Amino acid sequence: MYNLYPHNVQLIKEWNRFAYFRDFFIAAVPIGICYGRVANNLPTPSAAVNLIKTNGISSIRLFNPDPESLKPFSGTGINLTVGVPNEELPSIATSTAAAAQDWLQSNIFAHVPADQIRYIVVGNEVFLKDPFYTPHVIPAIANIYEALKSIGLSEKIKISSAQAASILSNSYPPSSSYFDPNILPELNRLLQFLRDTSSPLMVNVYPYLSYINNPQFVSLDSALFRPGSSLNDQDLVYDNLFDQTVDAFIYAMEREGYGEIPVVVTETGWPTAGGEAATGENALAYNGNVVKRGLDNVGTPKRPETGVEVFLFDLFDEDEKDGNQFEKHFGIFGVDGVKAYDLNFH
């Protein structure tokens, strides 16, 4: 079992950690896309993979290890971030590392080579949003980590758990951010694991939601990276909400003693219909800026030399999603393969 509180750290582990953080600092960051499948009108996975390849997209996030979706990626060289669904966590958490290895083999590695897997995301927005599964997150991560370690993949495939922005009790200004005290015991265990294994905190960041839920405090210009009013916070200047949100997580981690952990944005995007300011023009403005910043390795005011790895949401509209109407309309491509707006990925 993975020891969540090791006292002796080997030199090789320190070097691997340095190399991982170094790569975050100096390398251009990948821009990925989430491939959600909560819809009844999607193209076949093979057609979707062809579309992804044609557009030069090199990184994809899959929320579920569905064999039908995974197999067409095999041999393409596309890096995959694969989710372990929340409902799978109890069985993985309460079993053994050997059982977790069997799960990885049958659900992922039987369908796509291990060298295409970049991240395994153990649970999505569990803390606060799906708290029934909260006690199972860390034990499931520990078993999966030991499973990967036993087959020599724990350094190559990083493990984390994607978090909603709502785990922050306060995010304004960024330097005053802190996590919800109710989840701190489990969250600190997660942060300890991330630091020990040189893995990133994964967060889902939606300036669109911040804007429509707080229009009296959040300007559309700030949400869309447009010039306008700026925020001065401890000698740092913020001119957009994306940077504010990412740095809010960094400050909150720093407050807990984990300020060096990288941040990966596992979901971000802008809808084209179904809500206030949900248009193709605004979606292009938002996602276009996110892509450009990634390509240029632009960091945040808190970490200016560190580009932020991002997964745009979503490849297609998902017409069977629950919730507000705009939730169905984050697709960058139509189901016919035509772009909803002229977004370039390089």
Side-chain angles (χ1 to χ4, degrees):
M1 180 65 71
Y2 166 76
N3 180 1
L4 289 168
Y5 301 100
H7 297 288
N8 297 308
V9 181
Q10 296 177 348
L11 182 61
I12 185 67
K13 186 175 180 181
E14 289 295 337
W15 170 252
N16 286 332
R17 178 184 300 170
F18 164 76
Y20 182 75
F21 291 145
R22 177 201 61 201
D23 290 344
F24 263 83
F25 288 142
I26 66 176
V29 291
I31 298 294
I33 294 187
C34 299
Y35 178 17
R37 293 177 48 79
V38 186
N40 59 19
N41 61 346
L42 297 180
T44 65
S46 294
V49 170
N50 286 335
L51 180 67
I52 290 163
K53 289 164 58 180
T54 299
N55 283 273
I57 300 163
S58 61
S59 183
I60 291 290
R61 180 186 178 194
L62 293 162
F63 292 91
N64 300 295
D66 173 46
E68 181 188 9
S69 302
L70 278 172
K71 286 177 181 177
F73 285 101
S74 181
T76 62
I78 295 170
N79 288 321
L80 299 176
T81 293
V82 182
V84 179
N86 295 357
E87 58 271 20
E88 298 272 5
L89 300 185
S91 61
I92 296 174
T94 55
S95 62
T96 62
Q101 185 177 331
D102 290 342
W103 188 95
L104 290 170
Q105 177 60 36
S106 60
N107 286 278
I108 299 178
F109 300 143
H111 312 299
V112 68
D115 62 6
Q116 283 184 242
I117 307 300
R118 178 168 172 80
Y119 297 118
I120 293 177
V121 185
V122 182
N124 186 56
E125 299 190 343
V126 172
F127 299 155
L128 292 182
K129 284 198 167 187
D130 214 351
F132 171 80
Y133 297 105
T134 295
H136 303 291
V137 172
I138 304 303
I141 284 176
N143 279 336
I144 291 172
Y145 175 79
E146 290 298 330
L148 291 176
K149 187 176 178 181
S150 69
I151 53 177
L153 293 173
S154 59
E155 292 294 338
K156 182 194 177 299
I157 300 175
K158 296 300 179 179
I159 308 169
S160 191
S161 182
Q163 305 299 322
S166 57
I167 67 169
L168 292 170
S169 278
N170 183 68
S171 60
Y172 185 88
S175 64
S176 297
S177 299
Y178 57 89
F179 293 118
D180 186 318
N182 295 309
I183 65 168
L184 269 182
E186 290 299 311
L187 184 59
N188 271 303
R189 295 178 73 202
L190 174 63
L191 294 174
Q192 178 80 46
F193 172 85
L194 299 180
R195 181 170 65 185
D196 291 346
T197 59
S198 305
S199 301
L201 177 70
M202 294 181 163
V203 297
N204 299 336
V205 173
Y206 286 98
Y208 176 76
L209 297 181
S210 299
Y211 167 68
I212 63 170
N213 291 328
N214 305 280
Q216 68 274 35
F217 301 115
V218 178
S219 74
L220 186 59
D221 286 342
S222 175
L224 290 174
F225 297 93
R226 291 174 181 163
S229 60
S230 60
L231 167 67
N232 292 279
D233 182 20
Q234 292 198 350
D235 298 325
L236 299 179
V237 179
Y238 292 89
D239 58 12
N240 67 81
L241 192 56
F242 180 89
D243 282 348
Q244 289 182 41
T245 307
V246 172
D247 277 359
F249 279 102
I250 295 170
Y251 275 110
M253 287 194 292
E254 201 172 72
R255 192 178 299 273
E256 300 304 317
Y258 301 97
E260 76 277 24
I261 294 174
V263 173
V264 170
V265 175
T266 35
E267 290 180 36
T268 195
W270 198 281
T272 57
E276 173 70 21
T279 67
E281 180 182 4
N282 287 343
L284 175 58
Y286 180 78
N287 285 335
N289 273 289
V290 171
V291 170
K292 185 177 187 307
R293 288 161 55 91
L295 295 176
D296 294 341
N297 203 34
V298 173
T300 64
K302 177 75 167 161
R303 292 179 178 170
E305 304 301 321
T306 309
V308 182
E309 184 176 358
V310 168
F311 290 85
L312 298 177
F313 187 86
D314 196 3
L315 189 61
F316 302 110
D317 281 356
E318 296 182 84
D319 63 355
E320 293 188 331
K321 289 205 76 170
D322 296 329
N324 295 303
Q325 188 64 25
F326 66 77
E327 300 271 6
K328 307 174 189 289
H329 297 288
F330 278 85
I332 294 169
F333 293 91
V335 293
D336 58 359
V338 177
K339 287 180 183 177
Y341 44 89
D342 191 21
L343 180 66
N344 294 312
F345 300 95
H346 13 162

